[in-house]
Amino acid sequence: MNILILGSGSATPTLTRNPTAQLLEVSGRLFLIDCGESTQISLLRKKIPLLKINHIFISHLHGDHWLGLPGLISSMHLGGRTEPLHLFCPKGLDEILSIIFNHSDTHLQFQINYHFHSTDSKQLIWENSFLEIFSFPLLHKIQCNGFLFQEKPKLRNLRREAIEIHHIPVEDMMAIKAGSDWINSQGHTIPNALLTTPPKPSSSYAFCSDTAFHPKLNDYIHQVKVLYHEATFTQELESRAQSTFHSTANQAAQMASLIETQTLLLGHFSSRYKDTTPFLAEAKNHFPNTMLVYDGFNLDF
């Protein structure tokens, strides 16, 4: 997995931070998470082909998380897109986009397939042979969902020397890679551990957009490998965070510790902060392996 941060700020853009947008790459497949203003400009700067994005995930309907979407869709249209676009979002975004395109007399040459969030439970919303994607509810002023991207368990690796020694036929290899022992022509069972080596551990990424401190998240994303959690304020504005249903860096770090993640990424910083280093100091008190994201930040994991 690789996460590329396209926007790391909160409601008000700054000269150095766009509103929230992220691009997750998993085995060559691209997933856009939220789409604040200037998202397509950030994609162009990183030379990401817009038409390679087939799945977009919008956490909620506050404008700083979706206002870049009409422009991005229009550019896809002008770029000759014909493939369907899958949009995972709250109900209502379909109506908003329909009004925009109707009044601008825009007739898309591709279909938008809407997949609406569950409002009260964790839900599998998409999967293929190697990945599962879940949505789960956050705690915000309006309906807001996070997303969990989780690789499925990988197949074991065949030992080349074992294949040659035991003359294992091709038709039996998939079952062995899946973990089965193998019975040779003499009826002897060869343990799987002698035929394979363990696979690379599966990876996972959780995106927790706008949310107040919410211990229930542990039920949804326990032990996720990398956690992105909003940190709009530092601790001296905890009352402001509470009233706006946002989190402080301290609260995000406490959540990371509770979830037992390996790495915590903090973002969605209020534009009032010209220097974000206090966020890192505050979070590291509770969770040492914390990083602050910025526009252009990327991480392989």
Side-chain angles (χ1 to χ4, degrees):
M1 290 189 178
N2 174 274
I3 189 68
L4 170 64
I5 304 300
L6 303 169
S8 58
S10 57
T12 305
T14 71
L15 293 176
T16 58
R17 294 185 188 274
N18 291 326
T20 302
Q22 304 184 1
L23 189 73
L24 181 69
E25 180 177 0
V26 186
S27 299
R29 191 181 287 264
L30 301 179
F31 302 94
L32 181 63
I33 311 170
D34 276 351
C35 190
E37 296 169 68
S38 298
T39 294
Q40 66 172 313
I41 301 300
S42 298
L43 289 167
L44 291 171
R45 283 179 176 153
K46 291 298 181 179
K47 300 182 179 179
I48 307 296
L50 301 185
L51 299 188
K52 285 192 67 176
I53 299 172
N54 296 319
H55 301 81
I56 300 177
F57 301 81
I58 302 297
S59 60
H60 65 299
L61 293 184
H62 282 155
D64 55 316
H65 294 260
W66 68 267
L67 281 173
L69 189 58
L72 177 62
I73 292 174
S74 295
S75 292
M76 289 177 169
H77 167 68
L78 293 172
R81 184 187 186 96
T82 57
E83 293 294 313
L85 178 68
H86 293 272
L87 186 53
F88 301 82
C89 60
K91 289 182 178 178
L93 188 54
D94 54 335
E95 180 182 355
I96 292 170
L97 292 177
S98 178
I99 291 172
I100 290 172
F101 294 133
N102 284 342
H103 284 280
S104 63
D105 196 30
T106 300
H107 304 281
L108 300 178
Q109 300 303 306
F110 59 91
Q111 181 175 339
I112 299 178
N113 294 328
Y114 291 95
H115 309 266
F116 298 119
H117 300 328
S118 170
T119 60
D120 58 2
S121 63
K122 182 177 179 179
Q123 179 184 28
L124 177 66
I125 56 176
W126 187 86
E127 67 175 324
N128 65 5
S129 61
F130 58 83
L131 182 70
E132 293 178 320
I133 304 175
F134 299 85
S135 69
F136 53 90
L138 299 172
L139 183 60
H140 197 42
K141 274 192 170 183
I142 63 173
Q143 179 195 339
C144 187
N145 282 65
F147 303 105
L148 171 64
F149 299 80
Q150 187 168 282
E151 285 186 314
K152 294 180 178 180
K154 295 181 171 69
L155 296 175
R156 296 180 66 83
N157 304 301
L158 288 170
R159 297 178 185 267
R160 184 184 298 272
E161 66 275 16
I163 297 173
E164 296 172 351
I165 291 171
H166 297 288
H167 306 289
I168 298 173
V170 172
E171 58 267 25
D172 292 345
M173 291 182 182
M174 187 56 69
I176 295 171
K177 291 177 71 172
S180 298
D181 297 333
W182 183 67
I183 302 175
N184 65 19
S185 57
Q186 287 77 43
H188 298 138
T189 298
I190 312 299
N192 187 273
L194 299 179
L195 304 174
T196 65
T197 57
K200 181 180 178 181
S202 297
S203 197
S204 55
Y205 179 69
F207 172 83
C208 291
S209 175
D210 297 16
T211 184
F213 183 74
H214 191 35
K216 182 72 173 175
L217 295 181
N218 188 44
D219 295 340
Y220 305 140
I221 54 174
H222 184 65
Q223 292 186 339
V224 66
K225 185 173 183 180
V226 176
L227 168 66
Y228 169 86
H229 194 290
E230 72 120 288
T232 309
F233 304 104
T234 48
Q235 194 61 25
E236 76 277 1
L237 291 178
E238 183 177 1
S239 60
R240 175 68 175 165
Q242 183 176 358
S243 66
T244 58
F245 288 83
H246 285 295
S247 294
T248 65
N250 178 58
Q251 290 171 332
Q254 290 182 54
M255 185 59 61
S257 181
L258 177 65
I259 290 170
E260 298 181 23
T261 187
Q262 294 181 25
T263 302
L264 171 63
L265 306 180
L266 295 184
H268 198 265
F269 307 114
S270 169
S271 60
R272 74 187 66 211
Y273 296 94
K274 308 307 178 187
D275 176 16
T276 55
T277 53
F279 286 84
L280 189 62
E282 182 177 304
K284 280 180 173 287
N285 287 330
H286 289 279
F287 196 81
N289 194 23
T290 299
M291 291 185 273
L292 305 184
V293 304
Y294 50 85
D295 291 22
F297 172 98
N298 78 84
L299 179 70
D300 289 312
F301 54 97

mmCIF file of all heavy atoms in Angstrom, residues 74-113:
data_model
loop_
_atom_site.group_PDB
_atom_site.id
_atom_site.type_symbol
_atom_site.label_atom_id
_atom_site.label_comp_id
_atom_site.label_asym_id
_atom_site.label_seq_id
_atom_site.Cartn_x
_atom_site.Cartn_y
_atom_site.Cartn_z
ATOM 1 N N SER A 74 -16.050 16.643 -14.000
ATOM 2 C CA SER A 74 -16.117 17.367 -15.283
ATOM 3 C C SER A 74 -14.855 17.144 -16.108
ATOM 4 O O SER A 74 -14.918 16.951 -17.329
ATOM 5 C CB SER A 74 -16.320 18.859 -15.037
ATOM 6 O OG SER A 74 -17.579 19.105 -14.440
ATOM 7 N N SER A 75 -13.693 17.148 -15.453
ATOM 8 C CA SER A 75 -12.441 16.917 -16.180
ATOM 9 C C SER A 75 -12.365 15.490 -16.696
ATOM 10 O O SER A 75 -11.832 15.251 -17.791
ATOM 11 C CB SER A 75 -11.244 17.219 -15.271
ATOM 12 O OG SER A 75 -11.174 18.598 -14.981
ATOM 13 N N MET A 76 -12.879 14.541 -15.937
ATOM 14 C CA MET A 76 -12.938 13.161 -16.431
ATOM 15 C C MET A 76 -13.796 13.082 -17.689
ATOM 16 O O MET A 76 -13.460 12.410 -18.664
ATOM 17 C CB MET A 76 -13.497 12.236 -15.347
ATOM 18 C CG MET A 76 -12.566 11.975 -14.175
ATOM 19 S SD MET A 76 -13.361 10.930 -12.921
ATOM 20 C CE MET A 76 -11.947 10.514 -11.875
ATOM 21 N N HIS A 77 -14.925 13.802 -17.656
ATOM 22 C CA HIS A 77 -15.827 13.854 -18.812
ATOM 23 C C HIS A 77 -15.133 14.462 -20.022
ATOM 24 O O HIS A 77 -15.153 13.897 -21.130
ATOM 25 C CB HIS A 77 -17.063 14.664 -18.423
ATOM 26 C CG HIS A 77 -17.936 15.077 -19.564
ATOM 27 N ND1 HIS A 77 -18.668 14.177 -20.314
ATOM 28 C CD2 HIS A 77 -18.186 16.304 -20.082
ATOM 29 C CE1 HIS A 77 -19.327 14.839 -21.254
ATOM 30 N NE2 HIS A 77 -19.054 16.130 -21.132
ATOM 31 N N LEU A 78 -14.480 15.600 -19.824
ATOM 32 C CA LEU A 78 -13.787 16.269 -20.922
ATOM 33 C C LEU A 78 -12.592 15.456 -21.412
ATOM 34 O O LEU A 78 -12.176 15.581 -22.566
ATOM 35 C CB LEU A 78 -13.328 17.658 -20.476
ATOM 36 C CG LEU A 78 -14.450 18.662 -20.181
ATOM 37 C CD1 LEU A 78 -13.883 19.930 -19.564
ATOM 38 C CD2 LEU A 78 -15.239 18.982 -21.447
ATOM 39 N N GLY A 79 -12.047 14.613 -20.543
ATOM 40 C CA GLY A 79 -10.928 13.764 -20.917
ATOM 41 C C GLY A 79 -11.331 12.502 -21.656
ATOM 42 O O GLY A 79 -10.471 11.682 -21.987
ATOM 43 N N GLY A 80 -12.659 12.339 -21.902
ATOM 44 C CA GLY A 80 -13.119 11.209 -22.704
ATOM 45 C C GLY A 80 -13.455 9.964 -21.927
ATOM 46 O O GLY A 80 -13.547 8.876 -22.505
ATOM 47 N N ARG A 81 -13.695 10.096 -20.650
ATOM 48 C CA ARG A 81 -14.021 8.922 -19.860
ATOM 49 C C ARG A 81 -15.324 8.288 -20.331
ATOM 50 O O ARG A 81 -16.319 8.976 -20.579
ATOM 51 C CB ARG A 81 -14.145 9.294 -18.379
ATOM 52 C CG ARG A 81 -14.389 8.069 -17.477
ATOM 53 C CD ARG A 81 -14.681 8.448 -16.038
ATOM 54 N NE ARG A 81 -14.750 7.237 -15.218
ATOM 55 C CZ ARG A 81 -13.737 6.760 -14.525
ATOM 56 N NH1 ARG A 81 -12.592 7.399 -14.508
ATOM 57 N NH2 ARG A 81 -13.877 5.642 -13.834
ATOM 58 N N THR A 82 -15.330 6.961 -20.431
ATOM 59 C CA THR A 82 -16.546 6.211 -20.735
ATOM 60 C C THR A 82 -16.829 5.135 -19.688
ATOM 61 O O THR A 82 -17.949 4.649 -19.586
ATOM 62 C CB THR A 82 -16.459 5.551 -22.124
ATOM 63 O OG1 THR A 82 -15.305 4.703 -22.176
ATOM 64 C CG2 THR A 82 -16.375 6.611 -23.224
ATOM 65 N N GLU A 83 -15.792 4.762 -18.908
ATOM 66 C CA GLU A 83 -15.960 3.737 -17.889
ATOM 67 C C GLU A 83 -16.787 4.272 -16.723
ATOM 68 O O GLU A 83 -16.674 5.460 -16.357
ATOM 69 C CB GLU A 83 -14.604 3.271 -17.366
ATOM 70 C CG GLU A 83 -13.759 2.514 -18.378
ATOM 71 C CD GLU A 83 -14.405 1.191 -18.757
ATOM 72 O OE1 GLU A 83 -14.834 0.453 -17.848
ATOM 73 O OE2 GLU A 83 -14.499 0.908 -19.964
ATOM 74 N N PRO A 84 -17.615 3.441 -16.103
ATOM 75 C CA PRO A 84 -18.387 3.892 -14.936
ATOM 76 C C PRO A 84 -17.466 4.347 -13.803
ATOM 77 O O PRO A 84 -16.348 3.849 -13.641
ATOM 78 C CB PRO A 84 -19.177 2.642 -14.523
ATOM 79 C CG PRO A 84 -19.219 1.786 -15.743
ATOM 80 C CD PRO A 84 -17.932 2.037 -16.475
ATOM 81 N N LEU A 85 -17.940 5.291 -13.027
ATOM 82 C CA LEU A 85 -17.240 5.777 -11.846
ATOM 83 C C LEU A 85 -18.032 5.341 -10.621
ATOM 84 O O LEU A 85 -19.240 5.576 -10.542
ATOM 85 C CB LEU A 85 -17.137 7.305 -11.881
ATOM 86 C CG LEU A 85 -16.459 7.971 -10.681
ATOM 87 C CD1 LEU A 85 -14.976 7.632 -10.636
ATOM 88 C CD2 LEU A 85 -16.652 9.494 -10.733
ATOM 89 N N HIS A 86 -17.351 4.709 -9.672
ATOM 90 C CA HIS A 86 -18.013 4.236 -8.454
ATOM 91 C C HIS A 86 -17.779 5.247 -7.340
ATOM 92 O O HIS A 86 -16.636 5.554 -6.995
ATOM 93 C CB HIS A 86 -17.480 2.862 -8.049
ATOM 94 C CG HIS A 86 -17.838 1.786 -9.025
ATOM 95 N ND1 HIS A 86 -19.015 1.081 -8.948
ATOM 96 C CD2 HIS A 86 -17.183 1.322 -10.122
ATOM 97 C CE1 HIS A 86 -19.069 0.209 -9.947
ATOM 98 N NE2 HIS A 86 -17.974 0.338 -10.675
ATOM 99 N N LEU A 87 -18.880 5.759 -6.799
ATOM 100 C CA LEU A 87 -18.817 6.809 -5.793
ATOM 101 C C LEU A 87 -19.478 6.302 -4.504
ATOM 102 O O LEU A 87 -20.681 6.028 -4.478
ATOM 103 C CB LEU A 87 -19.526 8.059 -6.313
ATOM 104 C CG LEU A 87 -19.454 9.332 -5.483
ATOM 105 C CD1 LEU A 87 -18.011 9.700 -5.142
ATOM 106 C CD2 LEU A 87 -20.123 10.480 -6.229
ATOM 107 N N PHE A 88 -18.670 6.174 -3.449
ATOM 108 C CA PHE A 88 -19.129 5.695 -2.148
ATOM 109 C C PHE A 88 -19.302 6.918 -1.255
ATOM 110 O O PHE A 88 -18.333 7.624 -0.937
ATOM 111 C CB PHE A 88 -18.102 4.723 -1.558
ATOM 112 C CG PHE A 88 -17.853 3.520 -2.432
ATOM 113 C CD1 PHE A 88 -16.980 3.595 -3.513
ATOM 114 C CD2 PHE A 88 -18.493 2.316 -2.189
ATOM 115 C CE1 PHE A 88 -16.753 2.500 -4.334
ATOM 116 C CE2 PHE A 88 -18.275 1.207 -3.003
ATOM 117 C CZ PHE A 88 -17.398 1.303 -4.078
ATOM 118 N N CYS A 89 -20.536 7.196 -0.840
ATOM 119 C CA CYS A 89 -20.815 8.507 -0.266
ATOM 120 C C CYS A 89 -22.107 8.479 0.552
ATOM 121 O O CYS A 89 -22.877 7.514 0.483
ATOM 122 C CB CYS A 89 -20.951 9.532 -1.395
ATOM 123 S SG CYS A 89 -22.288 9.140 -2.562
ATOM 124 N N PRO A 90 -22.371 9.551 1.304
ATOM 125 C CA PRO A 90 -23.669 9.668 1.976
ATOM 126 C C PRO A 90 -24.775 9.959 0.959
ATOM 127 O O PRO A 90 -24.530 10.523 -0.112
ATOM 128 C CB PRO A 90 -23.472 10.870 2.912
ATOM 129 C CG PRO A 90 -22.013 11.125 2.949
ATOM 130 C CD PRO A 90 -21.467 10.651 1.652
ATOM 131 N N LYS A 91 -25.998 9.590 1.323
ATOM 132 C CA LYS A 91 -27.140 9.983 0.505
ATOM 133 C C LYS A 91 -27.234 11.503 0.460
ATOM 134 O O LYS A 91 -26.981 12.181 1.454
ATOM 135 C CB LYS A 91 -28.433 9.402 1.095
ATOM 136 C CG LYS A 91 -28.558 7.892 0.940
ATOM 137 C CD LYS A 91 -29.874 7.385 1.500
ATOM 138 C CE LYS A 91 -30.004 5.881 1.296
ATOM 139 N NZ LYS A 91 -31.267 5.345 1.871
ATOM 140 N N GLY A 92 -27.591 12.016 -0.694
ATOM 141 C CA GLY A 92 -27.686 13.453 -0.875
ATOM 142 C C GLY A 92 -26.648 13.976 -1.845
ATOM 143 O O GLY A 92 -26.907 14.955 -2.561
ATOM 144 N N LEU A 93 -25.483 13.323 -1.897
ATOM 145 C CA LEU A 93 -24.464 13.780 -2.838
ATOM 146 C C LEU A 93 -24.918 13.555 -4.281
ATOM 147 O O LEU A 93 -24.587 14.335 -5.175
ATOM 148 C CB LEU A 93 -23.135 13.070 -2.579
ATOM 149 C CG LEU A 93 -21.933 13.587 -3.368
ATOM 150 C CD1 LEU A 93 -21.735 15.085 -3.183
ATOM 151 C CD2 LEU A 93 -20.662 12.833 -2.979
ATOM 152 N N ASP A 94 -25.698 12.510 -4.505
ATOM 153 C CA ASP A 94 -26.237 12.270 -5.845
ATOM 154 C C ASP A 94 -27.127 13.433 -6.283
ATOM 155 O O ASP A 94 -27.062 13.899 -7.421
ATOM 156 C CB ASP A 94 -27.004 10.949 -5.885
ATOM 157 C CG ASP A 94 -28.078 10.847 -4.815
ATOM 158 O OD1 ASP A 94 -27.971 11.525 -3.769
ATOM 159 O OD2 ASP A 94 -29.032 10.068 -5.009
ATOM 160 N N GLU A 95 -27.938 13.935 -5.355
ATOM 161 C CA GLU A 95 -28.826 15.060 -5.667
ATOM 162 C C GLU A 95 -28.027 16.330 -5.928
ATOM 163 O O GLU A 95 -28.318 17.084 -6.867
ATOM 164 C CB GLU A 95 -29.787 15.286 -4.496
ATOM 165 C CG GLU A 95 -30.768 16.423 -4.704
ATOM 166 C CD GLU A 95 -31.666 16.635 -3.505
ATOM 167 O OE1 GLU A 95 -31.585 15.835 -2.544
ATOM 168 O OE2 GLU A 95 -32.436 17.612 -3.515
ATOM 169 N N ILE A 96 -26.992 16.567 -5.114
ATOM 170 C CA ILE A 96 -26.157 17.758 -5.285
ATOM 171 C C ILE A 96 -25.492 17.766 -6.655
ATOM 172 O O ILE A 96 -25.536 18.756 -7.393
ATOM 173 C CB ILE A 96 -25.086 17.816 -4.180
ATOM 174 C CG1 ILE A 96 -25.739 18.070 -2.825
ATOM 175 C CG2 ILE A 96 -24.050 18.904 -4.478
ATOM 176 C CD1 ILE A 96 -24.794 17.905 -1.642
ATOM 177 N N LEU A 97 -24.887 16.633 -7.026
ATOM 178 C CA LEU A 97 -24.188 16.562 -8.314
ATOM 179 C C LEU A 97 -25.168 16.661 -9.480
ATOM 180 O O LEU A 97 -24.863 17.283 -10.506
ATOM 181 C CB LEU A 97 -23.375 15.270 -8.397
ATOM 182 C CG LEU A 97 -22.177 15.178 -7.444
ATOM 183 C CD1 LEU A 97 -21.504 13.810 -7.566
ATOM 184 C CD2 LEU A 97 -21.175 16.291 -7.701
ATOM 185 N N SER A 98 -26.329 16.066 -9.321
ATOM 186 C CA SER A 98 -27.333 16.132 -10.376
ATOM 187 C C SER A 98 -27.747 17.579 -10.645
ATOM 188 O O SER A 98 -27.875 18.006 -11.804
ATOM 189 C CB SER A 98 -28.553 15.291 -9.994
ATOM 190 O OG SER A 98 -29.553 15.388 -10.977
ATOM 191 N N ILE A 99 -27.957 18.355 -9.572
ATOM 192 C CA ILE A 99 -28.332 19.766 -9.729
ATOM 193 C C ILE A 99 -27.224 20.544 -10.425
ATOM 194 O O ILE A 99 -27.482 21.342 -11.347
ATOM 195 C CB ILE A 99 -28.652 20.377 -8.353
ATOM 196 C CG1 ILE A 99 -29.954 19.788 -7.796
ATOM 197 C CG2 ILE A 99 -28.744 21.908 -8.436
ATOM 198 C CD1 ILE A 99 -30.254 20.175 -6.366
ATOM 199 N N ILE A 100 -25.988 20.307 -10.003
ATOM 200 C CA ILE A 100 -24.850 21.023 -10.601
ATOM 201 C C ILE A 100 -24.766 20.738 -12.100
ATOM 202 O O ILE A 100 -24.650 21.653 -12.929
ATOM 203 C CB ILE A 100 -23.533 20.634 -9.897
ATOM 204 C CG1 ILE A 100 -23.497 21.212 -8.483
ATOM 205 C CG2 ILE A 100 -22.311 21.121 -10.708
ATOM 206 C CD1 ILE A 100 -22.340 20.737 -7.640
ATOM 207 N N PHE A 101 -24.827 19.457 -12.462
ATOM 208 C CA PHE A 101 -24.666 19.108 -13.873
ATOM 209 C C PHE A 101 -25.885 19.489 -14.705
ATOM 210 O O PHE A 101 -25.763 19.864 -15.874
ATOM 211 C CB PHE A 101 -24.343 17.624 -14.011
ATOM 212 C CG PHE A 101 -23.001 17.248 -13.437
ATOM 213 C CD1 PHE A 101 -22.854 16.145 -12.611
ATOM 214 C CD2 PHE A 101 -21.882 18.017 -13.716
ATOM 215 C CE1 PHE A 101 -21.618 15.813 -12.079
ATOM 216 C CE2 PHE A 101 -20.635 17.698 -13.193
ATOM 217 C CZ PHE A 101 -20.501 16.595 -12.369
ATOM 218 N N ASN A 102 -27.067 19.437 -14.116
ATOM 219 C CA ASN A 102 -28.267 19.858 -14.844
ATOM 220 C C ASN A 102 -28.224 21.352 -15.169
ATOM 221 O O ASN A 102 -28.507 21.764 -16.303
ATOM 222 C CB ASN A 102 -29.521 19.541 -14.026
ATOM 223 C CG ASN A 102 -29.885 18.068 -14.051
ATOM 224 O OD1 ASN A 102 -29.428 17.324 -14.921
ATOM 225 N ND2 ASN A 102 -30.698 17.633 -13.103
ATOM 226 N N HIS A 103 -27.861 22.153 -14.182
ATOM 227 C CA HIS A 103 -27.874 23.600 -14.388
ATOM 228 C C HIS A 103 -26.695 24.083 -15.237
ATOM 229 O O HIS A 103 -26.735 25.192 -15.783
ATOM 230 C CB HIS A 103 -27.915 24.333 -13.044
ATOM 231 C CG HIS A 103 -29.260 24.301 -12.396
ATOM 232 N ND1 HIS A 103 -30.289 25.153 -12.754
ATOM 233 C CD2 HIS A 103 -29.771 23.503 -11.428
ATOM 234 C CE1 HIS A 103 -31.359 24.890 -12.029
ATOM 235 N NE2 HIS A 103 -31.070 23.891 -11.210
ATOM 236 N N SER A 104 -25.653 23.275 -15.343
ATOM 237 C CA SER A 104 -24.530 23.646 -16.215
ATOM 238 C C SER A 104 -24.654 22.972 -17.583
ATOM 239 O O SER A 104 -23.759 23.100 -18.414
ATOM 240 C CB SER A 104 -23.201 23.247 -15.567
ATOM 241 O OG SER A 104 -23.121 21.834 -15.404
ATOM 242 N N ASP A 105 -25.785 22.273 -17.797
ATOM 243 C CA ASP A 105 -26.039 21.586 -19.068
ATOM 244 C C ASP A 105 -24.893 20.629 -19.421
ATOM 245 O O ASP A 105 -24.441 20.550 -20.560
ATOM 246 C CB ASP A 105 -26.246 22.597 -20.198
ATOM 247 C CG ASP A 105 -26.899 21.958 -21.437
ATOM 248 O OD1 ASP A 105 -27.669 20.995 -21.250
ATOM 249 O OD2 ASP A 105 -26.619 22.413 -22.557
ATOM 250 N N THR A 106 -24.417 19.908 -18.381
ATOM 251 C CA THR A 106 -23.344 18.923 -18.559
ATOM 252 C C THR A 106 -23.954 17.538 -18.671
ATOM 253 O O THR A 106 -24.704 17.101 -17.784
ATOM 254 C CB THR A 106 -22.373 18.956 -17.367
ATOM 255 O OG1 THR A 106 -21.801 20.263 -17.263
ATOM 256 C CG2 THR A 106 -21.256 17.935 -17.545
ATOM 257 N N HIS A 107 -23.671 16.859 -19.760
ATOM 258 C CA HIS A 107 -24.207 15.516 -19.990
ATOM 259 C C HIS A 107 -23.047 14.526 -20.015
ATOM 260 O O HIS A 107 -22.347 14.374 -21.019
ATOM 261 C CB HIS A 107 -24.986 15.479 -21.311
ATOM 262 C CG HIS A 107 -26.089 16.501 -21.383
ATOM 263 N ND1 HIS A 107 -27.307 16.305 -20.763
ATOM 264 C CD2 HIS A 107 -26.131 17.744 -21.951
ATOM 265 C CE1 HIS A 107 -28.072 17.370 -20.965
ATOM 266 N NE2 HIS A 107 -27.379 18.254 -21.690
ATOM 267 N N LEU A 108 -22.824 13.899 -18.878
ATOM 268 C CA LEU A 108 -21.685 12.999 -18.733
ATOM 269 C C LEU A 108 -21.786 11.831 -19.703
ATOM 270 O O LEU A 108 -22.874 11.275 -19.920
ATOM 271 C CB LEU A 108 -21.599 12.477 -17.300
ATOM 272 C CG LEU A 108 -21.417 13.519 -16.191
ATOM 273 C CD1 LEU A 108 -21.403 12.839 -14.833
ATOM 274 C CD2 LEU A 108 -20.154 14.337 -16.402
ATOM 275 N N GLN A 109 -20.640 11.465 -20.236
ATOM 276 C CA GLN A 109 -20.578 10.326 -21.164
ATOM 277 C C GLN A 109 -20.265 9.022 -20.437
ATOM 278 O O GLN A 109 -19.930 8.017 -21.065
ATOM 279 C CB GLN A 109 -19.512 10.598 -22.234
ATOM 280 C CG GLN A 109 -19.773 11.835 -23.070
ATOM 281 C CD GLN A 109 -21.135 11.779 -23.762
ATOM 282 O OE1 GLN A 109 -21.443 10.810 -24.470
ATOM 283 N NE2 GLN A 109 -21.948 12.805 -23.554
ATOM 284 N N PHE A 110 -20.362 9.047 -19.108
ATOM 285 C CA PHE A 110 -20.145 7.830 -18.324
ATOM 286 C C PHE A 110 -21.135 7.823 -17.167
ATOM 287 O O PHE A 110 -21.700 8.852 -16.786
ATOM 288 C CB PHE A 110 -18.700 7.746 -17.806
ATOM 289 C CG PHE A 110 -18.280 8.901 -16.929
ATOM 290 C CD1 PHE A 110 -18.439 8.844 -15.552
ATOM 291 C CD2 PHE A 110 -17.721 10.050 -17.483
ATOM 292 C CE1 PHE A 110 -18.050 9.897 -14.742
ATOM 293 C CE2 PHE A 110 -17.323 11.113 -16.689
ATOM 294 C CZ PHE A 110 -17.488 11.039 -15.316
ATOM 295 N N GLN A 111 -21.322 6.663 -16.615
ATOM 296 C CA GLN A 111 -22.290 6.484 -15.537
ATOM 297 C C GLN A 111 -21.604 6.627 -14.182
ATOM 298 O O GLN A 111 -20.482 6.157 -13.998
ATOM 299 C CB GLN A 111 -22.937 5.096 -15.635
ATOM 300 C CG GLN A 111 -23.988 4.815 -14.570
ATOM 301 C CD GLN A 111 -24.683 3.481 -14.797
ATOM 302 O OE1 GLN A 111 -24.677 2.953 -15.904
ATOM 303 N NE2 GLN A 111 -25.264 2.922 -13.752
ATOM 304 N N ILE A 112 -22.285 7.293 -13.254
ATOM 305 C CA ILE A 112 -21.831 7.317 -11.859
ATOM 306 C C ILE A 112 -22.675 6.313 -11.082
ATOM 307 O O ILE A 112 -23.908 6.434 -11.023
ATOM 308 C CB ILE A 112 -21.971 8.712 -11.237
ATOM 309 C CG1 ILE A 112 -21.121 9.743 -11.993
ATOM 310 C CG2 ILE A 112 -21.543 8.677 -9.767
ATOM 311 C CD1 ILE A 112 -21.241 11.163 -11.464
ATOM 312 N N ASN A 113 -22.016 5.321 -10.508
ATOM 313 C CA ASN A 113 -22.693 4.322 -9.681
ATOM 314 C C ASN A 113 -22.536 4.733 -8.214
ATOM 315 O O ASN A 113 -21.420 4.753 -7.681
ATOM 316 C CB ASN A 113 -22.104 2.939 -9.909
ATOM 317 C CG ASN A 113 -22.368 2.419 -11.308
ATOM 318 O OD1 ASN A 113 -23.401 2.723 -11.900
ATOM 319 N ND2 ASN A 113 -21.460 1.635 -11.849
#
